[in-house]
């Protein structure tokens, strides 16, 4: 789910939540767990076709306590986006 605000034509802030599953595998074994990502950022259009995006996320993977409990991570992204279609 992504929610954004278009109040300013110069900057579009957004927040997002992603839920799903993650699988870790190795040495012939694999385990799966619930995964959650929470984050947000801004889109800054340069023109009608492309712009720059900066965002930060927290990712948690919630394994059983027998499988190592929980894995936490952070991500920072800066990149270019391209508009597709009209």
């Amino acid at each position: 789910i992504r929610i954004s605000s278009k109040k300013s034509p110069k900057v579009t802030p957004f927040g997002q939540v992603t839920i799903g599953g993650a699988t870790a595998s190795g040495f012939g074994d694999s385990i799966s767990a619930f995964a959650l990502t929470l984050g947000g950022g801004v889109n800054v259009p340069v023109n009608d076709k492309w712009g720059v995006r900066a965002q930060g996320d927290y990712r948690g993977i919630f394994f059983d306590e027998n499988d190592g409990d929980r894995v936490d991570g952070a991500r920072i992204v800066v990149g270019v986006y391209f508009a597709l279609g009209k």
Side-chain angles (χ1 to χ4, degrees):
I1 298 171
R2 179 179 284 176
I3 298 171
S4 61
S5 172
K6 301 240 184 213
K7 289 184 179 181
S8 167
K10 296 184 182 202
V11 176
T12 303
F14 64 89
Q16 63 188 22
V17 176
T18 305
I19 58 173
T23 300
S25 62
F27 304 106
D29 273 339
S30 68
I31 55 174
S32 296
F34 174 74
L36 168 73
T37 303
L38 303 170
V42 294
N43 290 333
V44 181
V46 174
N47 60 35
D48 290 342
K49 299 286 183 189
W50 69 280
V52 177
R53 173 177 294 156
Q55 72 182 70
D57 295 322
Y58 158 79
R59 178 172 299 145
I61 303 172
F62 302 91
F63 293 103
D64 245 340
E65 59 185 47
N66 297 334
D67 294 326
D69 212 14
R70 183 172 108 190
V71 176
D72 295 311
R75 176 177 75 150
I76 296 174
V77 179
V78 177
V80 176
Y81 69 88
F82 298 94
L84 300 175
K86 293 185 179 183

